[in-house]
Amino acid sequence: MSLPNRAALERHLPILQWSRGYTRDTLTSDVVAAVIVTIMLIPQSLAYALLAGLPAEMGLYASILPLVAYAIFGTSRALAVGPVAVISLMTAAAIANLGITDPAQYAAAAITLAFLSGAILTVMGVFRLGFLANFLSHPVIAGFITASGILIATSQLKHILGIEAQGHTLPELVTSLWAHLPETNLYTLAIGVAATAFLFWVRKGFKPLLLKTGMKPRLADILAKAGPVLAVAVTTLVVFGFGLGERGVDIVGTVPQGLPPLTAPRLDLDLIAQLFVPALMISIIGFVESVSVAQTLAAKKRQRIVPDQELVGLGTSNIAASITGGYPVTGGFARSVVNFDAGAETPAAGAYTAVGILVAALLLTPLLFFLPTATLAATIIVAVLSLVDFSILRHAWGYSRVDFAAVSAT
């Protein structure tokens, strides 16, 4: 039996293609990009895990090995894989339908969901079904993401206010928030509003301010992207210093320190049957969101994305998440743009980011004990509101009344 040549291997392991001509300058660009994305990804990963109803550490676990898997099998040089808001919301909804109350079983269901999603995506890639994405209605997908952004932001208001609120639909959430509004914890509200306002300002105002001080653009960009980490550090110190945990401010608490655990999906036929349709929906939505971002960024540098190989890349990433204590992942819009803008030249930047997250999981988790959940909620709100795009209604109206009706209904 003959061994496969390099060209054949490159079709299945795209990182081999990108490795050709890898220079010191390329390495520097990838490492700098990895540092910036790591700084951004740590608070996001924690926040999105809580959004999915999972322990915060599972967000970190889902941001390590999946990045390495995508770096090996994916075709985008800039796509950053990990937990994202929409998929986290879909994960929470899927597991909520199972009626599970035990946290260990809930986590096991999320791991199984990641495995199913990974298996579906990988099979689709092997059978070259990437072309099916062309038949999906992009206005409907855009409407779905916008609606999800509104729903996610609303669901996080309870953490900003420090109250209890239930509901899976917007009317249910708003009604519950209004009913519990008198119970607002003023300390939590102060932290949540301050963190949200700061994160909104940091997106537009921090970098220009740093540039006015004479700081170099690259360093200013890194510090601006570190805004969420600064919010986490300051609010954690405030809660610790003033003992606000004893005054009703909800905190993250103990986050396990160490390497991601080796886990296995529950291959229970009844559980698989219940999770298969949600896993299929997560796979489709995740693939469409991911490949759209990858193609947009690749076009800016006249690079090429292979949809069939992207399916394999995302599939192996989800399988990697399932065997290391994570939950479903996909390519994130915000962090991929940051990765691109920071100068990532090859998928190796993702592998370097994984190393950064791994170091955080090994060394930094004890520092997160007093982190207020209001800060994580602020991180989610600021991130998802950037996905809300009502202009799609105007564009759809001008293009097609049928598309407008589909977007509006979605």
Side-chain angles (χ1 to χ4, degrees):
M1 183 177 66
S2 61
L3 293 175
N5 58 31
R6 184 181 178 96
L9 285 172
E10 284 178 356
R11 286 197 295 271
H12 302 287
L13 301 175
I15 196 171
L16 293 178
Q17 179 183 353
W18 307 133
S19 67
R20 287 188 291 185
Y22 200 72
T23 65
R24 182 177 296 179
D25 289 340
T26 306
L27 172 64
T28 301
S29 297
D30 283 348
V31 170
V32 170
V35 170
I36 296 174
V37 176
T38 299
I39 291 172
M40 177 185 185
L41 196 54
I42 291 172
Q44 275 195 356
S45 298
L46 296 169
Y48 291 153
L50 295 179
L51 174 61
L54 297 164
E57 64 270 16
M58 287 187 71
L60 291 178
Y61 298 157
S63 302
I64 300 174
L65 196 58
L67 279 165
V68 178
Y70 183 82
I72 296 172
F73 293 100
T75 62
S76 171
R77 303 189 187 199
L79 194 70
V81 171
V84 301
V86 173
I87 300 303
S88 297
L89 178 67
M90 294 178 73
T91 297
I95 302 177
N97 291 332
L98 302 178
I100 295 175
T101 56
D102 179 57
Q105 292 185 10
Y106 192 102
I111 290 169
T112 303
L113 191 62
F115 178 80
L116 288 175
S117 179
I120 290 169
L121 287 164
T122 303
V123 169
M124 290 176 67
V126 170
F127 285 96
R128 301 183 180 278
L129 299 180
F131 70 91
L132 293 177
N134 298 326
F135 295 97
L136 296 173
S137 170
H138 288 284
V140 168
I141 297 297
F144 174 82
I145 291 175
T146 291
S148 298
I150 296 170
L151 188 61
I152 291 168
T154 305
S155 72
Q156 295 306 297
L157 291 178
K158 64 182 180 182
H159 299 300
I160 299 293
L161 298 169
I163 61 176
E164 293 292 329
Q166 292 80 34
H168 296 292
T169 67
L170 192 62
E172 289 175 351
L173 282 170
V174 171
T175 301
S176 185
L177 286 168
W178 180 259
H180 291 279
L181 195 60
E183 303 167 12
T184 298
N185 183 291
L186 295 180
Y187 296 106
T188 301
L189 180 63
I191 291 172
V193 170
T196 304
F198 173 74
L199 291 173
F200 270 119
W201 172 77
V202 136
R203 288 196 158 206
K204 300 292 184 182
F206 196 25
K207 184 176 178 179
L209 181 66
L210 294 174
L211 291 175
K212 287 181 181 178
T213 65
M215 187 175 293
K216 292 183 178 180
R218 177 57 67 90
L219 180 58
D221 191 55
I222 293 174
L223 292 178
K225 296 299 188 300
V229 174
L230 184 59
V232 165
V234 171
T235 55
T236 300
L237 287 173
V238 167
V239 170
F240 172 73
F242 292 95
L244 298 184
E246 300 172 359
R247 301 187 183 187
V249 175
D250 189 38
I251 58 176
V252 169
T254 302
V255 177
Q257 184 178 11
L259 294 170
L262 289 177
T263 53
R266 279 180 53 196
L267 300 180
D268 178 271
L269 292 181
D270 184 54
L271 179 63
I272 290 174
Q274 291 178 291
L275 290 178
F276 182 80
V277 173
L280 180 61
M281 293 302 299
I282 286 173
S283 300
I284 293 172
I285 296 298
F287 172 63
V288 171
E289 179 182 354
S290 179
V291 81
S292 298
V293 174
Q295 288 176 335
T296 300
L297 297 179
K300 293 184 177 182
K301 288 189 175 181
R302 297 185 178 182
Q303 296 165 355
R304 181 170 168 265
I305 298 300
V306 183
D308 293 329
Q309 189 63 41
E310 282 298 291
L311 284 166
V312 175
L314 292 173
T316 53
S317 296
N318 276 279
I319 292 172
S322 73
I323 63 174
T324 53
Y327 70 101
V329 298
T330 192
F333 174 77
R335 71 177 69 102
S336 296
V337 172
V338 169
N339 199 32
F340 179 86
D341 290 341
E345 293 289 343
T346 75
Y352 301 145
T353 301
V355 173
I357 302 294
L358 180 62
V359 171
L362 286 171
L363 302 178
L364 302 181
T365 52
L367 303 178
L368 300 173
F369 185 90
F370 290 100
L371 170 60
T373 55
T375 302
L376 296 179
T379 302
I380 293 174
I381 289 172
V382 173
V384 300
L385 288 183
S386 67
L387 302 175
V388 174
D389 180 17
F390 289 113
S391 68
I392 188 65
L393 290 168
R394 185 179 70 254
H395 294 152
W397 178 265
Y399 177 74
S400 166
R401 298 296 189 271
V402 173
D403 279 351
F404 176 80
V407 174
S408 302
T410 306

